[in-house]
């Protein structure tokens, strides 16, 4: 283990914003890159908002993203307690030091810190040199007796041996106060690294919790893969020196450093996030993909527990590459598992726009009835022969046949679809379609 000790210090509010997730991630990456220690410290001094449920939202989100902490709630460590609400005695002790040094005074029931008023020159690991001079003494203990944010934040960073403070740029304006406090305690300054903000996808300003795509739990609920979300969050403000985008976490850990973090703000890009998600989905091994899809299909009532596993595997194998979001699996594979499906009007209109689809469908059905080899290659050869015999084009058969057996104009590859559905299902679905259409006319 190296000497590096970094921390994520959230005040749980019940939301886990992607901006916070990225702050965790950058701390975590720095710790893993340097072989240091990643600490989770809960800044829960606001009793009304910092409930246990709010804490769980955060812990669940971090676990889902795979960002494990070496010290903190539920894992412990030598520098605890890791909840500020339990560290009152430590704050008292540190406050005593400031009092003894004559750096405090009381006014209207609050305790103020006497600033030095000297210019505070910060060499920020991301922003570079930032100079700022505090002009006013500030409150460190509120009039209700509770220690204030600046005091507890700095005391904990000192007491927990934090070497690098990596946090959002919104705290840059607090840093000169914090530097004053570190110096008053005679403690060495940590390295500060202020991460640029995440801007809304459209329009001006910082992304807020109300913006679409802002909450980690929404990605979790809508079935994003955590690997894709983590990969995307890395790229939100950090980039390796080349143009790599999709990178395994192991490689990101190796390449991560402050020099790759942009000074400018990062703009949220939901399309890039989806794109990464799709490419991670396509790369899952078939078995992993099936286990991801299974609960979704069960929940949607597409399959039940008695599903034929071999058939499920065949259907998933031809559907996986068509899935952009996990939930798409329902639409793409639903018709493989039931003889009762709707014919989508839009798809039907497209098919019936031109040519003689019903005649083609009849010819196609006859070809299927005599076909013996239902492997993908066999189906393709059968189609070649049909095209040859009839003098028609492949597309004359594809659209209407797909419509008749699935109700859609999209889905897995055509030969794969025929091969997996097999002769009996294909023929009976086409017959049902033909008879339903002849009743209408
Ligand atoms: N509790 C503060 C926050 O959530 C921590 C700031 C810091 O990282 O120093 O913004």
């Amino acid at each position: 283990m190296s000497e590096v000790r970094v921390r994520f210090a959230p005040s749980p509010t019940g939301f886990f914003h992607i901006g916070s997730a990225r702050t965790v991630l950058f701390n975590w990456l720095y710790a893993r890159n340097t072989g240091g220690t990643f600490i989770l410290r809960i800044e829960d001094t606001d009793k009304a908002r910092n409930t246990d449920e709010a804490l769980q939202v955060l812990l669940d989100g971090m676990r889902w993203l795979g960002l494990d902490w070496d010290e903190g709630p539920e894992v412990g460590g030598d520098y605890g307690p890791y909840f500020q609400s339990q560290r009152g005695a430590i704050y008292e002790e540190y406050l005593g030091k400031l009092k003894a040094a004559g750096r405090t005074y009381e006014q209207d029931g609050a305790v103020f810190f006497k600033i030095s008023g000297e210019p505070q020159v910060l060499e920020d690991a991301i922003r570079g040199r930032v100079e700022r001079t505090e002009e006013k003494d500030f409150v460190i203990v509120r009039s209700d007796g509770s220690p204030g944010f600046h005091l507890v934040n700095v005391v904990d960073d000192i007491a927990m041996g934090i070497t690098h403070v990596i946090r959002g740029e919104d705290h840059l304006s607090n840093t000169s106060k914090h530097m004053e406090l570190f110096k008053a305690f005679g403690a060495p300054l940590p390295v500060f690294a202020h991460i640029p903000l995440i801007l809304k996808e459209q329009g001006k300003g910082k992304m807020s919790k109300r913006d679409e795509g802002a909450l980690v739990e929404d990605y979790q609920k809508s079935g994003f893969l955590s690997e894709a979300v983590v990969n995307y969050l890395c790229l939100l403000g950090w980039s390796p020196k080349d143009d790599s985008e999709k990178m395994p976490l192991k490689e990101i850990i190796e390449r991560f450093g402050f020099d790759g973090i942009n000074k400018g703000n990062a703009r949220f890009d939901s399309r890039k996030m989806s794109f990464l998600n799709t490419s991670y989905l396509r790369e899952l091994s078939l078995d992993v993909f099936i286990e991801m899809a299974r609960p979704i299909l069960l929940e949607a009532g597409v399959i039940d527990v008695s599903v034929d596993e071999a058939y499920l595997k065949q259907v998933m194998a031809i559907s996986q590459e068509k899935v952009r979001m996990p939930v798409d699996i329902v639409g793409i594979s639903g018709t493989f598992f039931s003889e009762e499906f709707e014919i989508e009007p839009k798809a039907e209109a497209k098919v019936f726009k031109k040519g003689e689809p019903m005649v083609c469908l009849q010819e196609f059905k006859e070809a299927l009835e005599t076909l013996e080899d239902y492997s993908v290659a066999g189906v393709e050869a059968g189609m070649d022969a049909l095209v040859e015999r009839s003098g028609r084009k492949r597309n004359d058969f594809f659209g209407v046949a797909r419509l008749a057996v699935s109700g859609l104009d999209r889905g897995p590859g055509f030969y794969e679809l025929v091969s997996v559905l097999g002769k009996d299902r294909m023929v009976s679905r086409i017959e049902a379609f033909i008879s339903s259409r002849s009743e209408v006319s």
Side-chain angles (χ1 to χ4, degrees):
M1 279 235 168
S2 78
E3 298 300 305
V4 168
R5 290 176 60 82
V6 293
R7 84 311 190 263
F8 173 53
S11 310
T13 57
F15 301 100
F16 191 28
H17 187 273
I18 61 163
S20 305
R22 190 191 53 163
T23 303
V24 187
L25 178 60
F26 284 9
N27 275 282
W28 183 88
L29 284 170
Y30 193 69
R32 297 298 173 253
N33 171 276
T34 55
T37 304
F38 173 53
I39 297 141
L40 175 60
R41 174 175 85 221
I42 308 301
E43 303 213 327
D44 58 345
T45 49
D46 181 345
K47 291 191 188 70
R49 291 168 77 201
N50 305 153
T51 60
D52 192 51
E53 293 84 73
L55 175 65
Q56 288 309 324
V57 169
L58 201 92
L59 302 188
D60 286 349
M62 286 176 66
R63 283 197 197 97
W64 180 66
L65 293 170
L67 304 175
D68 56 330
W69 51 101
D70 307 312
E71 293 176 23
E74 299 179 7
V75 303
D78 294 340
Y79 295 77
Y82 293 91
F83 291 88
Q84 286 188 332
S85 56
Q86 298 167 20
R87 295 174 64 81
I90 299 168
Y91 306 136
E92 276 301 320
E93 180 197 327
Y94 274 78
L95 183 65
K97 294 185 194 182
L98 290 182
K99 280 187 180 159
R103 297 296 299 271
T104 64
Y105 60 88
E106 264 191 63
Q107 193 179 305
D108 303 329
V111 179
F112 281 73
F113 173 69
K114 265 190 226 168
I115 57 162
S116 72
E118 280 159 16
Q120 301 299 321
V121 183
L122 167 67
E123 296 293 345
D124 191 275
I126 298 168
R127 315 279 319 172
R129 192 185 165 96
V130 182
E131 194 180 316
R132 196 184 156 104
T133 308
E134 284 303 315
E135 286 167 1
K136 277 211 281 260
D137 295 341
F138 56 89
V139 172
I140 50 175
V141 180
R142 300 186 195 98
S143 49
D144 67 2
S146 62
F149 165 67
H150 301 303
L151 180 69
V152 297
N153 185 264
V154 170
V155 166
D156 285 345
D157 284 342
I158 296 171
M160 294 181 175
I162 301 302
T163 58
H164 295 70
V165 171
I166 308 169
R167 61 185 175 189
E169 202 183 87
D170 44 333
H171 284 290
L172 188 58
S173 59
N174 291 325
T175 304
S176 44
K177 288 191 183 69
H178 295 183
M179 290 170 77
E180 283 261 8
L181 283 169
F182 273 101
K183 290 176 186 172
F185 284 118
L189 288 175
V191 173
F192 286 95
H194 286 93
I195 316 169
L197 303 177
I198 302 177
L199 302 178
K200 286 180 198 295
E201 182 148 38
Q202 260 130 26
K204 282 199 198 125
K206 190 179 146 182
M207 200 160 170
S208 84
K209 63 171 187 273
R210 285 172 299 278
D211 288 313
E212 175 97 28
L215 300 183
V216 172
E217 68 215 67
D218 290 345
Y219 293 100
Q220 192 176 355
K221 276 190 214 128
S222 54
F224 270 79
L225 298 179
S226 62
E227 294 90 325
V229 176
V230 167
N231 193 153
Y232 177 69
L233 289 178
C234 289
L235 299 176
L236 206 52
W238 173 81
S239 61
K241 294 288 175 264
D242 53 34
D243 283 339
S244 323
E245 293 212 312
K246 184 155 183 278
M247 272 175 286
L249 194 54
K250 206 170 150 275
E251 188 185 330
I252 296 175
I253 291 174
E254 275 161 25
R255 298 175 72 170
F256 186 80
F258 296 135
D259 54 342
I261 300 180
N262 308 325
K263 285 196 183 58
N265 293 330
R267 191 173 288 281
F268 183 67
D269 182 347
S270 59
R271 282 178 50 210
K272 190 181 269 183
M273 171 92 97
S274 298
F275 171 79
L276 279 170
N277 193 55
T278 306
S279 49
Y280 275 90
L281 268 173
R282 290 199 177 137
E283 272 177 18
L284 293 180
S285 72
L286 182 55
D287 288 337
V288 172
F289 181 79
I290 293 173
E291 290 328 310
M292 186 214 67
R294 188 189 301 276
I296 302 176
L297 294 172
L298 284 168
E299 161 101 23
V302 168
I303 60 171
D304 59 32
V305 285
S306 64
V307 65
D308 176 337
E309 289 294 327
Y311 182 63
L312 176 66
K313 194 163 181 168
Q314 285 182 311
V315 175
M316 293 299 110
I318 66 172
S319 303
Q320 182 172 359
E321 61 160 2
K322 301 290 169 187
V323 170
R324 299 202 58 223
M325 286 294 299
V327 50
D328 296 347
I329 193 66
V330 173
I332 290 168
S333 70
T335 57
F336 283 89
F337 298 97
S338 166
E339 299 309 306
E340 280 153 44
F341 51 86
E342 306 275 303
I343 304 289
E344 195 182 87
K346 236 171 72 195
E348 179 168 358
K350 214 157 117 192
V351 166
F352 281 87
K353 218 162 59 194
K354 58 177 192 317
E356 337 169 76
M358 292 310 281
V359 181
C360 295
L361 188 60
Q362 185 62 39
E363 289 174 14
F364 180 70
K365 190 191 81 145
E366 282 156 19
L368 284 179
E369 279 163 339
T370 55
L371 187 68
E372 274 163 23
D373 180 359
Y374 268 76
S375 68
V376 173
V379 174
E380 185 167 3
M383 179 61 92
D384 287 344
L386 174 61
V387 164
E388 180 80 33
R389 263 200 316 279
S390 64
R392 297 183 194 273
K393 294 193 202 66
R394 262 158 233 280
N395 279 336
D396 296 336
F397 302 105
F398 284 164
V400 68
R402 187 189 283 282
L403 181 75
V405 303
S406 73
L408 301 171
D409 59 354
R410 60 197 175 275
F414 185 77
Y415 303 129
E416 285 83 358
L417 168 98
V418 177
S419 171
V420 170
L421 276 176
K423 187 176 194 161
D424 295 347
R425 284 196 197 83
M426 282 299 297
V427 171
S428 74
R429 289 182 184 197
I430 291 175
E431 279 169 354
F433 184 82
I434 291 174
S435 71
S436 73
R437 297 301 115 161
S438 56
E439 279 160 23
V440 175
S441 54

